[in-house]
């Protein structure tokens, strides 16, 4: 932003002008981050309302389907009632994920060590049934600069991607996830790479769309990566996915380092 002021002599004749320039890059970035947070908050409130309205009639339908199933002796009817219950269970999973998404999560922004966030995420997912049988390799670059993010939101992103990796390796005997951090210029790159089923090329461009999922029917709602994408964008970062069918998947989270801060991670 520039402010221009005319310079005139004592007779009022125009001699030139002075220009004062103000760098508002950081201000614009913070404004965009605030807008993004407000969008997520609005979607969260909408999700909570939908979950509440859908939950009650869904419980009633599920109970009636169960009652009819138990009282029916006709195999055809029992088969169709079983299908109804399976679809109700699927809707219930979507509703639960909407409820989880709408729960308040700390958005407090501060100076954060990304390695510490990763280590906490590892502690949380270590015993999850989707990951406990797979090998997880950590290669964290020491003494990384701090980044300015929300610890809790970053933790949410990492857990979501790690659990997705576990789903992608379901049934593999040699499943492996590699998690690494590195410093490239003024950016920190967090990579999460698995050797799972991968993502078809035709789906890569849609992977961050809400309600789009490559998982089997009933396995995912398609909300997780959309939320992750918006959180990372809110931190002025980027998230890139590389994948091919049956060749595994790599998620690269790119975050700007905190400028003018000399103290590194003491790890």
């Amino acid at each position: 932003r520039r402010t221009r002021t005319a310079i005139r002599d004592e007779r009022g004749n125009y001699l030139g002008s002075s220009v004062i320039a103000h760098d508002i890059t950081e201000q614009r970035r913070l404004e965009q981050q605030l807008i993004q947070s407000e969008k997520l908050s609005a979607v969260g409130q909408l999700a909570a309302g939908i979950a509440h309205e859908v939950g009650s009639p869904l419980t009633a339908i599920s109970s009636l389907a169960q009652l009819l199933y138990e009282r029916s002796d006709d195999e055809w009817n029992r088969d169709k009632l079983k299908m109804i219950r399976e679809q109700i269970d699927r809707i219930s999973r979507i509703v639960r994920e909407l409820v989880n998404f709408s729960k308040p999560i700390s958005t407090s922004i501060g100076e954060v060590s990304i390695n510490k966030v990763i280590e906490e995420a590892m502690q949380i997912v270590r015993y999850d049934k989707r990951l406990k049988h797979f090998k997880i390799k950590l290669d964290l670059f020491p003494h990384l600069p701090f980044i300015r993010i929300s610890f809790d939101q970053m933790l949410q992103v990492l857990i979501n991607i790690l659990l997705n990796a576990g789903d992608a390796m379901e049934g593999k005997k040699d499943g492996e996830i590699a998690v690494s951090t590195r410093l490239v210029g003024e950016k920190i790159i967090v990579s999460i790479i698995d050797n799972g089923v991968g993502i078809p090329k035709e789906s890569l461009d849609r992977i961050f769309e809400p309600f789009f999922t490559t998982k089997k029917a009933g396995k995912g709602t398609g909300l997780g990566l959309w939320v992750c994408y918006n959180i990372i964008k809110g931190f002025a970062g980027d998230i890139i996915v590389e994948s091919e069918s049956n060749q595994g998947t790599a998620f690269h989270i790119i975050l700007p380092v905190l400028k003018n801060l000399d103290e590194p991670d003491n790890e």
Side-chain angles (χ1 to χ4, degrees):
R1 186 173 61 188
R2 294 173 180 168
T3 303
R4 186 183 296 272
T5 304
I7 300 175
R8 301 179 184 277
D9 61 17
E10 62 277 7
R11 297 181 180 178
N13 297 320
Y14 179 78
L15 299 177
S17 61
S18 65
V19 177
I20 300 174
H22 300 272
D23 185 354
I24 59 172
T25 303
E26 181 67 9
Q27 178 183 335
R28 293 293 189 200
R29 186 187 71 78
L30 293 172
E31 287 174 356
Q32 288 301 314
Q33 185 171 316
L34 178 60
I35 291 170
Q36 199 68 25
S37 296
E38 289 174 347
K39 285 181 180 178
L40 284 173
S41 176
V43 173
Q45 292 175 18
L46 176 63
I50 293 173
H52 177 73
E53 293 299 324
V54 171
S56 296
L58 197 62
T59 301
I61 295 169
S62 180
S63 299
L64 288 170
Q66 177 67 22
L67 180 63
L68 291 172
Y69 180 85
E70 292 173 355
R71 293 190 175 187
S72 176
D73 295 325
D74 185 281
E75 199 59 36
W76 188 90
N77 285 340
R78 287 173 66 88
D79 182 62
K80 296 301 178 285
L81 285 166
K82 183 180 178 181
M83 292 174 62
I84 290 173
R85 289 169 58 201
E86 288 173 350
Q87 294 305 310
I88 290 172
D89 288 343
R90 182 183 179 188
I91 297 171
S92 295
R93 282 193 293 271
I94 294 174
V95 170
R96 282 197 301 270
E97 189 151 337
L98 282 170
V99 170
N100 290 336
F101 171 58
S102 65
K103 285 178 180 176
I105 184 170
S106 173
T107 57
S108 175
I109 304 294
E111 299 167 7
V112 173
S113 159
I114 189 62
N115 284 351
K116 285 185 170 62
V117 186
I118 293 172
E119 288 167 357
E120 181 155 334
M122 290 294 107
Q123 292 294 324
I124 292 172
V125 304
R126 177 178 294 174
Y127 301 107
D128 187 277
K129 63 181 180 180
R130 285 168 282 187
L131 292 174
K132 65 180 180 180
H133 299 300
F134 300 132
K135 183 178 181 181
I136 301 180
K137 293 166 49 179
L138 285 181
D139 181 18
L140 306 182
F141 189 87
H143 309 301
L144 285 172
F146 287 102
I147 51 178
R148 190 167 181 80
I149 59 173
S150 161
F151 188 102
D152 289 341
Q153 284 187 313
M154 191 68 217
L155 187 66
Q156 178 185 358
V157 170
L158 293 171
I159 290 173
N160 189 284
I161 295 175
L162 286 166
L163 293 180
N164 280 351
D167 287 335
M169 298 187 298
E170 184 180 2
K172 284 182 70 74
K173 293 182 179 179
D174 59 344
E176 183 176 298
I177 303 174
V179 182
S180 65
T181 55
R182 63 187 188 275
L183 182 63
V184 180
E186 294 186 344
K187 306 284 186 181
I188 289 176
I189 301 177
V190 181
S191 297
I192 302 173
I193 303 171
D194 68 66
N195 62 347
V197 294
I199 303 168
K201 287 184 178 179
E202 61 270 19
S203 299
L204 277 177
D205 290 340
R206 301 187 59 197
I207 201 68
F208 296 115
E209 292 181 7
F211 297 105
F212 178 80
T213 180
T214 59
K215 296 179 182 179
K216 297 176 184 178
K219 283 283 188 178
T221 61
L223 283 171
L225 286 179
W226 173 68
V227 173
C228 292
Y229 180 84
N230 281 281
I231 288 173
I232 296 301
K233 284 294 184 180
F235 297 151
D238 202 2
I239 181 168
I240 298 169
V241 58
E242 298 175 321
S243 185
E244 291 184 24
S245 293
N246 301 314
Q247 298 296 319
T249 301
F251 280 89
H252 304 290
I253 301 170
I254 305 168
L255 296 162
V257 302
L258 191 56
K259 295 181 180 179
N260 302 321
L261 189 68
D262 297 329
E263 182 185 355
D265 290 353
N266 294 317
E267 301 177 16

